Amino acid sequence: MSSLHKSRIAEFQDVLGEPKIVLQKLRELCFSGIPFDGGLRCLCWKILLNYLPVEKALWSTLLKKQRELYSQFLKEMIIQPGIAKANLGVSREDVTLEDHPLNPNPDSRWNTYFKDNEVLLQIDKDVRRLYPDMAFFQRPTDYPCLLILDPQNEFETLRKRVEQTTLKSQTVARNRSGVTNVSSPLKTSAPNSLNEYEVLPNGCEAHWEVVERILFIYAKLNPGIAYVQGMNEIVGPLYYTFATDPNSDWKEHAEADTFFCFTNLMAEIRDNFIKSLDDSQCGITYKMEKVYSTLKEKDVELYLKLQEQNIKPQFFAFRWLTLLLSQEFLLPDVIRIWDSLFADDNRFDFLLLVCCAMLTLIRDQLLEGDFTLNMRLLQGTCLAGNKHL
């Protein structure tokens, strides 16, 4: 470890060691990148995403409360509605004369269960192909959810629920309007069959199953937006960072901590996923146009070239902005970009500047290319693999 790196770690430790953390100082440090050592990045992200308050004396109580709350969410939302829980002393009421699987009443618990299955199948499809070039998400977690996997209770895993349902994932088409491809050339195709993944022993679960659970609970708690394809790409880097925390005390609670940080982050960017807001000032269309207006200020020649070729920001910037560049770079680079993104006071203005920088770094190719070549550059591996980024 270089003396410069040691000095930088010491700076973070000094700021984080104060009883009341000075947020502006922390932001300034984090903007230039957060060391992984000692769990610094995990801790800083939790503060920057407003999960942990700046008053350290409040951490213990807050964490205990939030993690208990998440356990309650698990109990209420990961079980089949109405299935009896012997350990809770609840009688079996899943099928009655009033409520049964064919009940057309929209308030029926069975109707809710089947609708939840549609959402779950889309989540399952997406999380199974999360960073397929990495083995991490297919590996078993060191901290499986005992509340779900304990054979003494009757909770079922979401994976079994997916396997047992008769619905087909092809019937689920909850994608953002106007996007025909939100996948990245950096990412390879994932196996389609449930059986193509190695079956883990009883009592184990893969990291992707934890991510699936987080997204399902978020969808249940936020029915107005539920789950939209691409949210898996937002939660993935968060969970990976927290689940690889070198501090085992924090690592053990990666699932709950990720859920609340993801929820806080989504509170800031959820408008990007809501079609009815697309053309409003807080919608994704406005932000995409802002990329071009910013580019016009920084590089008018390039801006005019793209305008001349009728290359609209919707053709490429939708994915960049909505997924916070999580599909444009390899995961370590995404995490480094997010250090700066989370640290910046006007974090989404910073995102616009990053998008403009990505364009100007390939400006020579764009100025020389025709429409077809430039679309390939903007949507393909040429941009994602740019060595300068």
Side-chain angles (χ1 to χ4, degrees), residues 130-140 207:
L130 187 61
Y131 290 98
D133 51 331
M134 293 176 58
F136 171 80
F137 287 97
Q138 280 70 51
R139 288 177 181 158
H207 287 290

Side-chain angles (χ1 to χ4, degrees), residues 15-16 21-23 26-27 30 40-56 59 242 261 264 342 347:
V15 171
L16 293 170
I21 296 166
V22 180
L23 190 56
L26 183 65
R27 287 184 184 279
C30 293
L40 289 174
R41 172 174 283 125
C42 306
L43 184 56
C44 290
W45 278 19
K46 288 165 187 169
I47 297 169
L48 295 173
L49 290 172
N50 301 312
Y51 178 46
L52 290 178
V54 293
E55 296 87 356
K56 292 176 65 176
W59 287 5
F242 295 162
C261 285
N264 289 351
F342 295 162
R347 64 182 55 154

Side-chain angles (χ1 to χ4, degrees), residues 9-23:
I9 291 173
E11 285 185 278
F12 274 90
Q13 290 173 337
D14 288 344
V15 171
L16 293 170
E18 295 292 330
K20 183 174 182 178
I21 296 166
V22 180
L23 190 56

